[in-house]
Amino acid sequence: MVIYRDEYRLYNFGPSHPFSPVRLEMLTSLLQALGVWREPLVPGEATREDVLSVHSERLVKRVEAASRGEGVPDLEHYGLGTGDTPVFPGMDRAARILVGGTLEGARRILAGEKRVLQLGGGLHHAQYDRSSGFCVYNDLSVAIRHLVRSGLRVAYLDIDVHHGDGVQWIHYEEKEVLTISLHESGRYLFPGTGHVHEIGRGEGVGRKLNLPLEPFTEDESYLEVFEALVPWALGAFRPDVLVVQAGADAHFLDPLADLLLTTRAYERLFRLVLEYAEAYAGGRILLTLGGGYSLDATVRVWALLYLVFHGLPLPERLPEGWLREWEARLGQPLTPTLHDPEAPYPEIPRRQEIEKRNRLTLERLTELVRPHLVH
Ligand SMILES: [Zn+2]
């Protein structure tokens, strides 16, 4: 089942902001041009109460006031009105529409649906008392909280290139929520957290896993540590459902980060998460989008996600008419194939050192959480 609503595109920080609704417009038009688009389930908006299940009243009041165009003197204290997360008219409702989609996904899972793809959301930086990093409200945590309150154990997997900090901190002391985030190390990248020693607190200890990766990590090294860590953690935790934030910004073309994944790695990752859901979570999986700031790459990665999710064959080339239209609209050439070309960037001289460091990070993480995670 796919969840989508055209009004997701109301979540718009302006024409020069990287979190652009154009990504969704390109994606849905590409899927239509490929002839694979199926009518999605159109979700309702999340209510104020839904949002308050993970956010403070103080924060929500400020988002509402800013949304109406009222001056709010302490806005920046709440992470809003910044360069990253500026305010815009109607932002409260726009954010609640995205939350509503992910929450609808959770409800569908509870109603017996196995696989749900929410073509939006993934606003993983928003915290209890603070919007952050393009994320006003945390749709993932609202959905996870709803699942937990309904008695499910949730594993959250975050492959966005940035640390899934908001989700981690909101559920930091919860034993029913396992979080796993693979990201470019916080030493180099926003939000600066996601170190291996952040393993949870109280009952949540050993259930918050972070694998910070070296800049310029390539497909092979990423997949090596991913395939060692994720099935091991899921096998130990045994969730009822897997929630996946499928950000596309670990792609080598991404302008905001420095990992070097290609679409080949993404295809493999998407196939793996579906397999892991079958093996460890009763087949239940809820996927969302997330970051991804190269229009060229992001749209192809998420088209791959849609096709793999539905078990459809992968076309080699993108439709000519679609390419011509979007190249004209964007004024830039686009990759004409679904996958990246072979060897799309020059060799990385430090490759072996990077692989070795990523292995060491995985070892440190495994040592830290094993005593808590495995009983
Ligand atoms: Zn990101």
Side-chain angles (χ1 to χ4, degrees), residues 59 63 78-80 85 125-127 129-133 135-137:
L59 172 64
V63 174
Y78 292 86
L80 288 160
T85 320
H125 295 307
Q127 307 196 12
D129 212 12
R130 190 177 161 81
S131 300
S132 170
C135 305
V136 176
Y137 296 143

Side-chain angles (χ1 to χ4, degrees), residues 267-331:
E267 181 189 347
R268 174 101 181 121
L269 288 172
F270 298 147
R271 293 194 190 286
L272 285 172
V273 296
L274 293 172
E275 281 174 28
Y276 296 162
E278 288 298 329
Y280 305 109
R284 286 177 286 275
I285 183 167
L286 167 59
L287 296 129
T288 73
L289 306 184
Y293 307 104
S294 154
L295 293 173
D296 181 344
T298 299
V299 169
R300 289 181 297 117
V301 167
W302 289 341
L304 267 168
L305 171 60
Y306 188 94
L307 293 162
V308 169
F309 179 83
H310 286 102
L312 291 163
L314 305 181
E316 201 183 313
R317 288 189 61 86
L318 303 183
E320 285 304 324
W322 182 87
L323 279 169
R324 272 197 303 274
E325 183 197 330
W326 281 100
E327 286 183 338
R329 271 185 72 174
L330 302 172

Side-chain angles (χ1 to χ4, degrees), residues 175-186:
K175 68 173 191 297
E176 303 85 359
V177 181
L178 172 75
T179 65
I180 308 172
S181 179
L182 290 91
H183 44 264
E184 180 177 342
S185 169

Side-chain angles (χ1 to χ4, degrees), residues 11-210:
Y11 192 83
N12 186 352
F13 296 108
S16 56
H17 194 282
F19 199 95
S20 167
V22 169
R23 303 174 307 161
L24 290 178
E25 196 183 347
M26 283 178 81
L27 174 65
T28 52
S29 68
L30 173 59
L31 295 170
Q32 282 162 11
L34 286 169
V36 297
W37 179 250
R38 301 173 190 179
E39 277 314 303
L41 177 79
V42 178
E45 304 165 22
T47 63
R48 189 171 199 273
E49 286 63 41
D50 294 329
V51 172
L52 287 171
S53 70
V54 303
H55 291 295
S56 68
E57 174 82 31
R58 306 193 278 266
L59 172 64
V60 174
K61 272 189 176 156
R62 279 156 180 89
V63 174
E64 288 168 342
S67 200
R68 291 190 297 262
E70 294 169 19
V72 183
D74 58 357
L75 211 50
E76 288 202 17
H77 182 72
Y78 292 86
L80 288 160
T82 60
D84 271 3
T85 320
V87 298
F88 61 92
M91 76 188 297
D92 168 62
R93 177 167 178 265
R96 281 190 292 106
I97 290 173
L98 286 175
V99 174
T102 310
L103 182 56
E104 182 62 33
R107 292 193 175 118
R108 293 287 157 162
I109 295 277
L110 288 164
E113 193 75 30
K114 293 281 185 169
R115 292 182 174 186
V116 181
L117 172 58
Q118 140 78 326
L119 283 185
L123 303 175
H124 62 167
H125 295 307
Q127 307 196 12
Y128 168 68
D129 212 12
R130 190 177 161 81
S131 300
S132 170
F134 317 161
C135 305
V136 176
Y137 296 143
N138 195 318
D139 59 307
L140 295 153
S141 283
V142 170
I144 291 169
R145 184 137 291 164
H146 183 66
L147 290 163
V148 169
R149 284 182 176 169
S150 305
L152 268 55
R153 288 157 55 80
V154 180
Y156 169 74
L157 173 63
D158 188 318
I159 60 168
D160 192 283
V161 78
H162 302 94
H163 175 223
D165 58 337
V167 179
Q168 169 178 299
W169 299 128
I170 286 172
H171 306 282
Y172 207 53
E173 300 186 24
E174 293 172 26
K175 68 173 191 297
E176 303 85 359
V177 181
L178 172 75
T179 65
I180 308 172
S181 179
L182 290 91
H183 44 264
E184 180 177 342
S185 169
R187 288 201 307 274
Y188 310 100
L189 191 67
F190 179 89
T193 51
H195 304 290
V196 284
H197 63 262
E198 296 163 24
I199 63 166
R201 194 185 301 124
E203 289 193 327
V205 168
R207 289 167 182 209
K208 312 298 161 231
L209 278 54
N210 286 292

Side-chain angles (χ1 to χ4, degrees), residues 220-279:
E220 266 179 53
S221 178
Y222 190 103
L223 287 167
E224 178 192 328
V225 292
F226 181 93
E227 290 180 46
L229 174 67
V230 179
W232 172 75
L234 295 177
F237 181 72
R238 290 279 164 184
D240 297 305
V241 55
L242 179 59
V243 176
V244 179
Q245 198 270 26
D249 44 8
H251 190 276
F252 74 90
L253 285 176
D254 197 274
L256 301 190
D258 316 295
L259 296 197
L260 296 178
L261 297 199
T262 71
T263 53
R264 309 275 165 190
Y266 277 105
E267 181 189 347
R268 174 101 181 121
L269 288 172
F270 298 147
R271 293 194 190 286
L272 285 172
V273 296
L274 293 172
E275 281 174 28
Y276 296 162
E278 288 298 329

